[in-house]
Amino acid sequence: MIEQLDAEKISPHRREALGMFFRLLSERKSEHILETGTLRKENNWHNDGGFTWLLARWASLQNGRNINFHTVDHDPIAIETSKRILRPLMRHVQHDCADSVQFLRHWAQPIDALILDSLDYLAGQEGQAQAQNLDEALAALPNLHAQSIVAIDDCKLAGGGKGALTIPYLQARGWRVICDDYVTVLTKL
């Protein structure tokens, strides 16, 4: 599956996890997908990972299935940049300019796949990025189900990366890590 998604652009430190993530999306026939943090720069695959592009591309290949993919970001400039870059795939993605935690708290549908990738993990702001990641997971938790997939970017970094608080929290509630890499992927089953 990942071969169809511009695999050559995916940075090597994300490739295995993203391959597993997209395989699970297809196997589980995931339809309701939410991403926190959107595409901010064109061709910035090494730093941003390109989740938004890859998810929109994946949705475009689903042959008539009704994929409900939302990317949410608080930054209106980031939302407009993402819309511009994704213009050829716009019918496959809904951009939402909002606070991600509030957006997830008010989300009323099941979430088949959740990608947590907001707030950059920068020196001096590690704790803030980890807390934001956990807050997003907590807000989404009521809408996650037994078949849901959670992916957290920027995990293999000093101090545990963005998922340092979220991963053990989810594991204590029955989630298991199926790929422990720069992108960590968790499922219930």
Side-chain angles (χ1 to χ4, degrees), residues 16-68:
E16 179 184 350
L18 292 180
M20 182 175 295
F21 176 80
F22 282 103
R23 181 179 52 79
L24 287 170
L25 277 183
S26 297
E27 288 174 359
R28 296 179 181 199
K29 301 188 180 342
S30 299
E31 293 184 348
H32 302 286
I33 303 165
L34 274 101
E35 172 197 39
T36 64
T38 196
L39 184 64
R40 293 170 172 270
K41 294 179 186 171
E42 197 161 6
N43 297 317
N44 192 26
W45 293 91
H46 183 75
N47 293 321
D48 288 345
F51 266 112
T52 314
W53 171 268
L54 294 168
L55 286 161
R57 178 79 175 114
W58 177 83
S60 76
L61 299 172
Q62 298 311 300
N63 298 326
R65 284 185 43 222
N66 186 24
I67 305 300
N68 184 16

Coordinates of all heavy atoms in Angstrom, one line a residue, residues 16-68:
E16 N 8.9 2.4 8.1 CA 8.4 1.2 8.6 C 7.0 1.5 9.3 O 6.0 0.8 9.1 CB 9.3 0.5 9.6 CG 8.8 -0.8 10.2 CD 9.7 -1.4 11.3 OE1 10.8 -0.9 11.4 OE2 9.2 -2.3 11.9
A17 N 7.0 2.5 10.2 CA 5.8 2.8 10.9 C 4.6 3.2 10.0 O 3.5 2.8 10.2 CB 6.0 3.8 12.0
L18 N 5.0 4.0 9.0 CA 3.9 4.5 8.1 C 3.4 3.3 7.2 O 2.2 3.3 6.9 CB 4.4 5.6 7.2 CG 4.7 6.9 8.0 CD1 5.2 8.0 7.1 CD2 3.4 7.4 8.7
G19 N 4.3 2.4 6.9 CA 3.9 1.3 6.1 C 2.9 0.4 6.9 O 1.8 0.0 6.4
M20 N 3.2 0.2 8.2 CA 2.2 -0.5 9.1 C 0.9 0.3 9.2 O -0.1 -0.3 9.2 CB 2.9 -0.8 10.4 CG 2.1 -1.6 11.3 SD 3.0 -2.0 12.9 CE 4.2 -3.0 12.2
F21 N 1.1 1.6 9.5 CA -0.1 2.4 9.7 C -1.1 2.3 8.5 O -2.3 2.1 8.6 CB 0.3 3.8 9.9 CG -0.8 4.8 10.1 CD1 -1.5 4.9 11.3 CD2 -1.2 5.6 9.1 CE1 -2.5 5.8 11.4 CE2 -2.2 6.5 9.2 CZ -2.9 6.6 10.4
F22 N -0.5 2.5 7.3 CA -1.4 2.5 6.1 C -1.9 1.1 5.8 O -3.0 1.0 5.3 CB -0.7 3.1 4.9 CG -0.7 4.6 5.0 CD1 0.4 5.3 5.4 CD2 -1.9 5.4 4.7 CE1 0.4 6.7 5.5 CE2 -1.9 6.7 4.8 CZ -0.7 7.4 5.2
R23 N -1.2 0.1 6.1 CA -1.7 -1.3 5.9 C -2.9 -1.5 6.8 O -3.9 -2.0 6.4 CB -0.6 -2.3 6.2 CG -1.0 -3.8 6.1 CD 0.1 -4.8 6.3 NE 0.7 -4.6 7.6 CZ 0.2 -5.0 8.8 NH1 -0.9 -5.6 8.8 NH2 0.9 -4.8 9.9
L24 N -2.8 -1.1 8.1 CA -3.9 -1.2 9.0 C -5.1 -0.4 8.6 O -6.2 -0.8 8.7 CB -3.4 -0.8 10.4 CG -2.6 -1.8 11.2 CD1 -2.0 -1.1 12.4 CD2 -3.3 -3.1 11.5
L25 N -4.9 0.8 8.1 CA -6.0 1.7 7.6 C -6.8 0.9 6.5 O -8.0 0.9 6.6 CB -5.5 3.0 7.0 CG -5.1 4.1 7.9 CD1 -4.7 5.3 7.0 CD2 -6.3 4.5 8.8
S26 N -6.0 0.3 5.6 CA -6.7 -0.5 4.5 C -7.4 -1.7 5.1 O -8.5 -2.0 4.7 CB -5.7 -0.8 3.5 OG -5.2 0.4 2.9
E27 N -6.7 -2.5 5.9 CA -7.2 -3.8 6.4 C -8.5 -3.5 7.2 O -9.4 -4.3 7.1 CB -6.2 -4.5 7.2 CG -5.1 -5.1 6.5 CD -4.0 -5.7 7.4 OE1 -4.1 -5.6 8.6 OE2 -3.1 -6.3 6.8
R28 N -8.5 -2.5 8.0 CA -9.6 -2.2 8.9 C -10.7 -1.3 8.2 O -11.7 -1.0 8.9 CB -9.1 -1.5 10.2 CG -8.2 -2.5 11.0 CD -7.7 -1.9 12.2 NE -6.8 -2.9 12.9 CZ -6.5 -2.8 14.1 NH1 -6.9 -1.8 14.9 NH2 -5.7 -3.7 14.6
K29 N -10.5 -1.0 7.0 CA -11.4 -0.2 6.2 C -11.8 1.1 7.0 O -12.9 1.5 7.1 CB -12.7 -1.0 5.9 CG -12.3 -2.2 5.0 CD -13.6 -2.9 4.5 CE -13.3 -4.1 3.7 NZ -12.1 -4.4 3.1
S30 N -10.8 1.7 7.5 CA -10.9 3.0 8.3 C -11.5 4.1 7.4 O -11.1 4.2 6.2 CB -9.6 3.4 8.8 OG -9.0 2.4 9.7
E31 N -12.5 4.8 8.0 CA -13.2 5.9 7.2 C -13.1 7.2 7.9 O -13.1 8.2 7.3 CB -14.6 5.5 7.0 CG -14.8 4.3 6.0 CD -16.2 4.0 5.7 OE1 -17.1 4.5 6.4 OE2 -16.4 3.2 4.8
H32 N -13.0 7.2 9.3 CA -13.0 8.5 10.0 C -11.6 8.7 10.6 O -11.2 8.0 11.5 CB -14.1 8.4 11.1 CG -15.4 8.2 10.7 ND1 -16.2 9.1 10.0 CD2 -16.2 7.1 10.7 CE1 -17.4 8.6 9.7 NE2 -17.4 7.4 10.1
I33 N -10.9 9.6 10.0 CA -9.5 9.9 10.3 C -9.3 11.3 10.7 O -9.8 12.2 10.0 CB -8.7 9.5 9.0 CG1 -8.9 8.1 8.6 CG2 -7.2 9.8 9.3 CD1 -8.4 7.7 7.2
L34 N -8.6 11.5 11.8 CA -8.3 12.8 12.3 C -6.8 13.0 12.5 O -6.2 12.1 13.1 CB -9.0 13.1 13.6 CG -10.5 13.6 13.4 CD1 -11.4 12.5 13.7 CD2 -10.7 14.8 14.4
E35 N -6.3 14.1 12.1 CA -4.9 14.5 12.2 C -4.8 15.8 13.0 O -5.5 16.7 12.6 CB -4.2 14.6 10.9 CG -2.8 15.1 11.0 CD -2.3 15.6 9.6 OE1 -3.0 16.2 8.8 OE2 -1.1 15.4 9.4
T36 N -4.0 15.8 14.0 CA -3.7 17.1 14.6 C -2.4 17.6 14.1 O -1.4 16.9 14.0 CB -3.7 17.0 16.2 OG1 -2.6 16.2 16.6 CG2 -5.0 16.5 16.7
G37 N -2.3 18.9 13.7 CA -1.2 19.5 13.1 C -1.2 19.2 11.6 O -1.4 18.0 11.2
T38 N -1.1 20.2 10.8 CA -1.3 20.0 9.4 C 0.0 20.2 8.6 O 1.0 20.6 9.2 CB -2.4 20.9 8.8 OG1 -2.8 20.4 7.5 CG2 -2.0 22.3 8.7
L39 N 0.0 19.9 7.3 CA 1.1 20.2 6.4 C 1.5 21.6 6.4 O 0.6 22.5 6.1 CB 0.7 19.7 5.0 CG 1.8 19.7 3.9 CD1 2.9 18.7 4.3 CD2 1.1 19.3 2.6
R40 N 2.7 22.0 6.7 CA 3.1 23.4 6.8 C 4.1 23.9 5.8 O 4.2 25.1 5.5 CB 3.8 23.6 8.2 CG 2.8 23.4 9.3 CD 3.4 23.4 10.7 NE 2.4 23.5 11.7 CZ 1.9 24.6 12.2 NH1 2.4 25.7 11.9 NH2 0.9 24.5 13.1
K41 N 4.8 22.9 5.1 CA 5.8 23.3 4.1 C 5.8 22.3 3.0 O 5.7 21.1 3.3 CB 7.2 23.4 4.7 CG 7.4 24.5 5.7 CD 8.8 24.5 6.2 CE 9.0 25.5 7.3 NZ 10.3 25.4 8.0
E42 N 5.9 22.7 1.8 CA 6.0 21.8 0.7 C 7.3 21.1 0.7 O 8.3 21.7 1.0 CB 5.8 22.6 -0.6 CG 5.4 21.8 -1.8 CD 4.8 22.5 -2.9 OE1 4.7 23.8 -2.9 OE2 4.4 21.9 -3.9
N43 N 7.3 19.8 0.3 CA 8.5 19.0 0.2 C 9.3 19.0 1.5 O 10.5 18.9 1.4 CB 9.3 19.4 -1.0 CG 8.5 19.2 -2.3 OD1 7.9 18.2 -2.5 ND2 8.6 20.2 -3.2
N44 N 8.7 19.0 2.6 CA 9.4 19.0 3.9 C 9.3 17.6 4.5 O 8.9 17.5 5.7 CB 8.9 20.1 4.8 CG 9.8 20.3 6.0 OD1 11.0 20.0 6.0 ND2 9.3 20.8 7.1
W45 N 9.5 16.6 3.7 CA 9.2 15.2 4.2 C 10.0 14.8 5.4 O 9.6 14.1 6.2 CB 9.4 14.3 3.0 CG 8.4 14.5 1.9 CD1 8.6 15.3 0.8 CD2 7.1 13.9 1.8 NE1 7.4 15.2 0.1 CE2 6.5 14.4 0.6 CE3 6.4 13.0 2.6 CZ2 5.3 14.0 0.2 CZ3 5.2 12.6 2.2 CH2 4.6 13.1 1.0
H46 N 11.3 15.2 5.4 CA 12.1 14.8 6.5 C 11.7 15.3 7.9 O 11.7 14.6 8.9 CB 13.6 15.1 6.3 CG 14.5 14.6 7.3 ND1 14.9 13.3 7.4 CD2 15.1 15.2 8.4 CE1 15.6 13.1 8.4 NE2 15.8 14.3 9.0
N47 N 11.3 16.6 7.9 CA 11.0 17.2 9.2 C 9.5 17.1 9.5 O 9.2 16.8 10.7 CB 11.3 18.7 9.1 CG 12.8 19.0 9.1 OD1 13.5 18.3 9.7 ND2 13.2 19.9 8.3
D48 N 8.6 17.2 8.6 CA 7.2 17.2 8.9 C 6.6 15.8 8.7 O 5.5 15.5 9.2 CB 6.4 18.2 8.0 CG 6.6 19.6 8.4 OD1 7.1 19.8 9.5 OD2 6.3 20.5 7.6
G49 N 7.2 14.9 7.9 CA 6.7 13.6 7.7 C 5.6 13.5 6.6 O 5.5 12.4 6.1
G50 N 4.9 14.6 6.4 CA 4.0 14.6 5.2 C 2.7 13.8 5.5 O 2.1 13.3 4.6
F51 N 2.3 13.6 6.8 CA 1.1 12.8 7.1 C -0.1 13.4 6.3 O -0.9 12.6 5.7 CB 0.8 12.9 8.6 CG 1.3 11.8 9.4 CD1 2.3 12.0 10.3 CD2 0.8 10.5 9.2 CE1 2.8 11.0 11.1 CE2 1.3 9.5 10.0 CZ 2.3 9.7 10.9
T52 N -0.3 14.7 6.2 CA -1.5 15.2 5.6 C -1.5 14.8 4.1 O -2.6 14.4 3.6 CB -1.5 16.8 5.8 OG1 -1.2 17.1 7.1 CG2 -2.9 17.3 5.4
W53 N -0.4 15.0 3.4 CA -0.3 14.6 2.0 C -0.6 13.1 1.9 O -1.4 12.7 1.0 CB 1.0 15.0 1.4 CG 1.2 14.4 0.1 CD1 1.8 13.2 -0.3 CD2 0.8 15.0 -1.2 NE1 1.8 13.0 -1.6 CE2 1.1 14.1 -2.2 CE3 0.1 16.2 -1.5 CZ2 0.8 14.3 -3.5 CZ3 -0.2 16.4 -2.8 CH2 0.2 15.5 -3.8
L54 N 0.1 12.3 2.7 CA -0.1 10.9 2.5 C -1.5 10.4 2.8 O -2.0 9.5 2.1 CB 0.9 10.1 3.5 CG 2.4 10.3 3.2 CD1 3.2 9.9 4.3 CD2 2.8 9.6 1.9
L55 N -2.1 11.0 3.8 CA -3.5 10.6 4.1 C -4.5 11.0 3.0 O -5.4 10.3 2.7 CB -3.9 11.2 5.5 CG -3.3 10.5 6.7 CD1 -3.4 11.4 7.9 CD2 -4.0 9.2 7.0
A56 N -4.3 12.2 2.5 CA -5.2 12.7 1.4 C -4.9 11.8 0.2 O -5.9 11.4 -0.5 CB -4.9 14.1 1.1
R57 N -3.7 11.4 -0.1 CA -3.4 10.6 -1.2 C -4.0 9.2 -1.0 O -4.6 8.6 -1.9 CB -1.9 10.5 -1.4 CG -1.4 9.5 -2.5 CD -1.5 10.2 -3.8 NE -1.0 9.3 -4.8 CZ -1.7 8.7 -5.8 NH1 -2.9 8.9 -5.9 NH2 -1.1 7.8 -6.6
W58 N -3.9 8.6 0.2 CA -4.5 7.3 0.5 C -6.0 7.4 0.3 O -6.6 6.5 -0.3 CB -4.1 7.0 2.0 CG -4.8 5.7 2.4 CD1 -4.3 4.4 2.2 CD2 -6.0 5.5 3.1 NE1 -5.2 3.5 2.7 CE2 -6.3 4.2 3.3 CE3 -7.0 6.4 3.7 CZ2 -7.4 3.7 4.0 CZ3 -8.1 6.0 4.3 CH2 -8.3 4.6 4.5
A59 N -6.6 8.5 0.8 CA -8.1 8.6 0.6 C -8.5 8.6 -0.8 O -9.5 8.1 -1.2 CB -8.6 9.9 1.4
S60 N -7.6 9.2 -1.6 CA -7.9 9.3 -3.1 C -7.9 8.0 -3.8 O -8.4 7.8 -4.9 CB -6.9 10.3 -3.8 OG -5.7 9.7 -4.0
L61 N -7.2 7.0 -3.2 CA -7.1 5.7 -3.8 C -8.1 4.7 -3.3 O -8.0 3.5 -3.6 CB -5.7 5.1 -3.5 CG -4.5 5.9 -4.0 CD1 -3.2 5.4 -3.5 CD2 -4.5 5.9 -5.6
Q62 N -9.1 5.1 -2.5 CA -10.0 4.2 -1.9 C -11.3 3.9 -2.7 O -12.2 3.4 -2.2 CB -10.4 4.7 -0.5 CG -9.2 4.8 0.5 CD -8.4 3.6 0.5 OE1 -8.9 2.5 0.8 NE2 -7.1 3.7 0.1
N63 N -11.2 4.2 -4.0 CA -12.2 3.7 -5.0 C -13.7 3.9 -4.5 O -14.4 2.9 -4.3 CB -12.0 2.3 -5.3 CG -10.6 2.1 -6.0 OD1 -10.2 3.0 -6.7 ND2 -10.0 1.0 -5.7
G64 N -14.1 5.1 -4.3 CA -15.5 5.4 -4.0 C -15.9 5.3 -2.5 O -17.0 5.6 -2.2
R65 N -15.0 4.7 -1.7 CA -15.3 4.7 -0.2 C -15.4 6.1 0.3 O -14.7 7.0 -0.1 CB -14.3 3.9 0.6 CG -14.4 2.4 0.3 CD -13.5 1.6 1.2 NE -13.3 2.0 2.6 CZ -12.2 2.1 3.2 NH1 -11.1 1.7 2.6 NH2 -12.1 2.5 4.4
N66 N -16.3 6.3 1.2 CA -16.5 7.7 1.8 C -15.5 7.9 3.0 O -15.8 7.6 4.1 CB -18.0 7.8 2.3 CG -18.3 9.2 2.7 OD1 -17.6 10.1 2.3 ND2 -19.3 9.3 3.6
I67 N -14.4 8.4 2.7 CA -13.3 8.7 3.7 C -13.6 10.1 4.3 O -13.7 11.0 3.5 CB -11.9 8.6 3.1 CG1 -11.7 7.2 2.4 CG2 -10.9 8.8 4.2 CD1 -11.9 6.0 3.3
N68 N -13.7 10.1 5.6 CA -13.9 11.4 6.3 C -12.6 11.8 7.0 O -12.3 11.4 8.1 CB -15.0 11.2 7.3 CG -15.4 12.4 8.0 OD1 -15.0 13.5 7.6 ND2 -16.1 12.3 9.1

